[in-house]
Amino acid sequence: VGIYNFKNINRPVEVFALNHEGLLVPAANTLKGKTKEEKVQKGHPLKKTVLSKVSSKSIAVLPFVNMSNDPEQEYFSDGMAEEIINSLSQIKDLKVAGRTSTFRFKGKNIDLRTLGDQLGVSTVLEGSVRRQGNKLRVTAQLVKVEDGFHLWSEKFDRDMGDIFAIQDEISLAITKKLKISLLADDRNKIKKTYTQNTEAYELYLKGRFYINRRGPSILAGMQHLLEAIEIDPDFALAYAGYADALSLSASWGLVHPISVMKKVKEFAEKAIELAPTLSEPYCSLAFYYTFFERNWPEAKKNFLQSIELNPKYAQAHYWFGWDYLSWVEGDFELAEKHGRIAIHLEPLSSICYATTSLILHAAGKYKEALEICKAGIELDANSFLNYLSEGLSYFSLHQYEKAISSYENALKVSNNHHFASTLIIWAYVQKGDMEKAKTLFEELLQRSKKEYVTNTLIGLTYAYLDNLDEAFKYLQKGYDDPEPLLLSLKYESWVPAQLKSDPRYGFLIKKINFPEKAEKEVNEKYRGEKI
C-alpha cells in the first residue's frame, strides 16, 4: 500500500496489506483507517496538540496527592504543586502547563498520553505529600508522556521548615533532566522565596486554595491571606493574593465595590514594593485603575507590565483582553488575540473560554462566542460565566428561549446569583412576556433591599422596561460606586436602543471619559503574533 518512514528504522519500509473480507485496505500511500487518528472535539476552538510536535522541554505538574490522614491538608499538597508550577514558569525556555488546566486532572486516573495530548506537554511531574506534625514525606517523579519512562524520582523525608528547599530541589532537578541551561537569573528566580515563615506560607496556601474555588469561597480565602500578612508583613505573594481576592469579590458581586477599591490599590502596591518583579500585583493594580479609578493610561501600563514580567500569566491576558481592550478601547482584534493566548496557556481552563467568548460577544461575533463558551461548558458543567456567555450569545441571536434556558442553568450552578436573575428578565422582555419580566424584576428589587445587587444591572433593566428616568438614576449610582459593569455601556450590544437614543446616555459616556482611539503603538507584537 506504499512506502513509509518508521520510527527507529533508518531506511524506508514498503507496507503490504492482505485483501480478504472484513479487512480495511487503505488507498495507496496512506494508512488512513489503519492508525489511531487524532479527533478534534466538536466545537473546540483549538485543535488538540499532536505529540510528535510537542517540545521535549515542556511539562505539566499534576496536583500532589494528599497522603495525610487529615483531608483538610489537601490545601498543602495542592500548594506544593502550585508553587512548583510558579517556579518553573519563570524559565523562558520551558513550556509549563497552567495550574487551572493541570488541576482538572486531580483525582482522575487518566492515561499519560491522553493527558500530554490535551495539555501539549512531553513530560509530567507527579507526587504525593504525607504530613504528620512537623514531619514531611514528599515523593516526586518525572515521567515521559510518550512511553511512561521515569526520567527522575526522589523521596524527601524532612522537617516542615525544609519545605522551600524541597520545592527548589524538585524544580532544579526537572531543569537538569530536561537539559535546560539555566542562567544565574533563572536559577535565582526558581529559588526565590517570598517568606521564610512556614505558618504564613501555610495560610497563604489556604487562601489561594479557597480563592481558586471562586464564588463565596473567595471571602474565606481573603481571611486566610490577611492572617498570613499579619504573621509576615513582608510576604509579597500574600499581599498580591489579597488584592486579587478583593478584585474578584467585587467582580462577582459579593461586596460593594466602593468598600474594597482602596484596599485593592493599597495591597497591590505593597506587593510591588516588596517584590517589584512579581507579575500578579501589576495585574491587580491594572484592574483597580480600569474599573475603580478609570485611569486608562495607568491601567494599560500595568497590564502590559504584568504580561512583560510573566507572559505565561493567563489571567493578565484575559483580564486585559476582556476588561480593558474590549470595554474601554473597543480594540476587539487585539482583545481576541489575548483571549486566545490565555486559552493557549490554559487549554483546559473554563474561565479562559468564558472570557474569550465574552470578548467575541462584545465584538459582535455571536456565533463564534457561542462556539467558544460551549467548549468551556464541556470542560466544566458548573461554569457560571460560560452559561452567562451562552445566554448572552443566544440573546443577541434573538433565540430567547435558549437564552432563558442558559440563564436558568447559570442560576442553578450559582445559587441564584443576581447577574443571572437580571439577564433572564431581559430575555423575557425581548420575548414579549412583560408580565413575567415585571414579576421577576419586582423580586429583584425586593432582594436589593437586603443584599447588594449591581445598580448598573437594575438601571439597564429599567431601560428594557422603558422607564428611562429610573434607568439613569441607577446608572448614576453605578457610576458613583464605581461598578465594573458600568464600563460595558459603550460597546456591548446588550445595552437597549432606547437607552442609547436618550441624550443622557451620551452625557454619561462622555463623563466616563473613554479614550477616543486605541493606542496601537504599544503591545503591537501580540496583534500579528500567531498562536
Side-chain angles (χ1 to χ4, degrees):
V1 295
I3 298 175
Y4 300 89
N5 292 314
F6 288 96
K7 183 179 178 181
N8 297 327
I9 300 178
N10 293 327
R11 61 179 178 80
V13 176
E14 188 171 6
V15 177
F16 300 88
L18 295 175
N19 187 6
H20 64 76
E21 186 178 358
L23 177 68
L24 174 64
V25 180
N29 295 312
T30 174
L31 291 181
K32 184 173 177 61
K34 303 299 291 184
T35 60
K36 184 178 179 181
E37 298 177 34
E38 295 292 332
K39 292 184 179 180
V40 178
Q41 187 179 355
K42 187 178 180 182
H44 203 287
L46 292 178
K47 290 184 178 180
K48 300 224 171 136
T49 307
V50 180
L51 283 176
S52 61
K53 296 181 180 179
V54 173
S55 168
S56 61
K57 297 177 181 180
S58 56
I59 188 171
V61 180
L62 295 182
F64 279 35
V65 178
N66 175 27
M67 301 295 288
S68 305
N69 294 327
D70 182 6
E72 290 296 317
Q73 289 294 317
E74 188 175 353
Y75 75 87
F76 189 79
S77 54
D78 282 2
M80 277 284 293
E82 189 169 351
E83 289 303 293
I84 292 169
I85 290 172
N86 291 340
S87 291
L88 295 175
S89 295
Q90 304 299 318
I91 303 172
K92 183 179 179 180
D93 295 333
L94 178 63
K95 177 189 175 183
V96 184
R99 177 220 178 267
T100 308
S101 296
T102 56
F103 272 53
R104 283 192 55 79
F105 296 101
K106 183 176 179 178
K108 296 179 181 178
N109 184 18
I110 188 166
D111 177 72
L112 285 182
R113 287 182 66 89
T114 302
L115 185 151
D117 183 39
Q118 292 189 19
L119 295 178
V121 296
S122 61
T123 58
V124 169
L125 181 73
E126 304 174 298
S128 65
V129 179
R130 183 187 299 276
R131 181 181 177 187
Q132 291 181 325
N134 195 42
K135 296 294 183 182
L136 283 177
R137 168 168 289 186
V138 178
T139 65
Q141 49 270 345
L142 183 65
V143 185
K144 282 181 68 177
V145 164
E146 187 175 12
D147 54 16
F149 180 76
H150 278 59
L151 295 170
W152 169 84
S153 63
E154 190 65 77
K155 180 173 69 175
F156 304 88
D157 287 310
R158 306 279 182 85
D159 292 334
M160 180 62 191
D162 293 326
I163 182 63
F164 307 117
I166 294 172
Q167 291 170 180
D168 290 346
E169 287 183 44
I170 292 173
S171 297
L172 291 170
I174 289 168
T175 62
K176 183 177 180 181
K177 289 300 176 182
L178 297 185
K179 299 180 180 179
I180 296 170
S181 300
L182 295 180
L183 300 174
D185 188 48
D186 292 327
R187 189 174 294 272
N188 290 336
K189 285 180 179 178
I190 287 178
K191 299 180 76 172
K192 177 70 174 176
T193 300
Y194 292 96
T195 184
Q196 294 296 328
N197 188 301
T198 54
E199 185 180 356
Y201 178 67
E202 277 196 76
L203 287 165
Y204 167 74
L205 293 182
K206 280 185 180 179
R208 299 298 297 188
F209 178 79
Y210 284 108
I211 289 169
N212 287 330
R213 287 182 171 180
R214 296 295 196 261
S217 296
I218 293 170
L219 301 179
M222 287 168 59
Q223 184 57 40
H224 290 306
L225 289 164
L226 266 183
E227 292 172 8
I229 291 168
E230 288 172 1
I231 293 171
D232 183 355
D234 295 326
F235 192 0
L237 272 175
Y239 284 95
Y242 189 70
D244 263 351
L246 292 169
S247 298
L248 287 166
S249 67
S251 297
W252 284 74
L254 299 173
V255 297
H256 222 275
I258 202 167
S259 69
V260 301
M261 56 181 285
K262 290 182 180 179
K263 288 184 178 180
V264 172
K265 185 179 185 184
E266 175 189 342
F267 281 82
E269 287 183 335
K270 182 64 176 179
I272 292 169
E273 178 188 328
L274 292 167
T277 60
L278 197 60
S279 171
E280 289 86 345
Y282 290 97
C283 186
S284 286
L285 196 57
F287 184 100
Y288 165 82
Y289 280 120
T290 302
F291 290 119
F292 299 138
E293 194 170 301
R294 298 170 188 146
N295 182 333
W296 317 129
E298 284 298 314
K300 191 166 193 173
K301 182 182 79 174
N302 280 281
F303 272 128
L304 294 176
Q305 179 72 358
S306 177
I307 291 169
E308 183 180 349
L309 286 169
N310 184 5
K312 301 175 186 178
Y313 185 33
Q315 180 176 297
H317 286 285
Y318 65 70
W319 274 9
F320 183 46
W322 180 30
D323 298 334
Y324 183 82
L325 291 171
S326 290
W327 282 6
V328 175
E329 290 192 356
D331 189 345
F332 303 116
E333 177 193 353
L334 189 55
E336 182 180 342
K337 182 71 70 174
H338 280 279
R340 292 189 181 275
I341 288 172
I343 291 177
H344 183 72
L345 291 168
E346 290 274 20
L348 299 183
S349 167
S350 65
I351 193 75
C352 291
Y353 287 84
T355 49
T356 303
S357 173
L358 289 162
I359 288 168
L360 290 165
H361 182 275
K365 298 180 178 181
Y366 306 131
K367 290 183 179 179
E368 290 181 50
L370 191 59
E371 182 182 355
I372 296 274
C373 65
K374 283 185 177 295
I377 291 169
E378 286 184 20
L379 289 171
D380 181 4
N382 293 309
S383 176
F384 172 65
L385 203 53
N386 272 297
Y387 281 122
L388 284 187
S389 185
E390 182 185 52
L392 286 166
S393 298
Y394 281 130
F395 180 84
S396 297
L397 291 167
H398 310 296
Q399 299 180 37
Y400 302 119
E401 286 289 354
K402 289 184 177 180
I404 289 168
S405 178
S406 298
Y407 296 146
E408 286 174 343
N409 284 329
L411 285 170
K412 289 175 185 175
V413 301
S414 66
N415 193 25
N416 201 33
H417 196 289
H418 73 264
F419 283 14
S421 301
T422 306
L423 299 184
I424 204 168
I425 297 170
W426 302 356
Y428 276 113
V429 170
Q430 295 302 91
K431 185 185 171 189
D433 191 344
M434 299 300 292
E435 184 177 347
K436 180 70 171 178
K438 289 177 180 178
T439 299
L440 291 174
F441 188 40
E442 183 57 37
E443 291 175 3
L444 186 68
L445 290 175
Q446 291 301 316
R447 181 176 171 182
S448 69
K449 295 177 182 179
K450 301 175 184 177
E451 62 184 80
Y452 169 61
V453 175
T454 308
N455 292 299
T456 300
L457 289 175
I458 295 177
L460 288 170
T461 308
Y462 270 120
Y464 273 101
L465 295 169
D466 291 322
N467 188 338
L468 295 181
D469 289 340
E470 286 296 306
F472 282 105
K473 184 176 81 173
Y474 276 92
L475 291 177
Q476 182 61 47
K477 289 182 180 180
Y479 175 88
D480 293 335
D481 197 12
E483 292 177 344
L485 198 62
L486 190 80
L487 298 192
S488 70
L489 292 183
K490 184 172 183 179
Y491 293 109
E492 287 290 359
S493 61
W494 64 58
V495 180
Q498 56 267 41
L499 187 80
K500 289 187 174 182
S501 63
D502 191 293
R504 289 172 287 185
Y505 171 80
F507 292 134
L508 181 57
I509 294 298
K510 186 175 182 180
K511 188 160 60 171
I512 295 172
N513 195 29
F514 288 100
E516 290 297 322
K517 290 183 179 180
E519 298 175 14
K520 294 185 178 181
E521 72 276 7
V522 292
N523 207 33
E524 268 299 304
K525 67 175 184 176
Y526 287 108
R527 191 179 302 280
E529 186 177 272
K530 289 186 178 181
I531 300 172

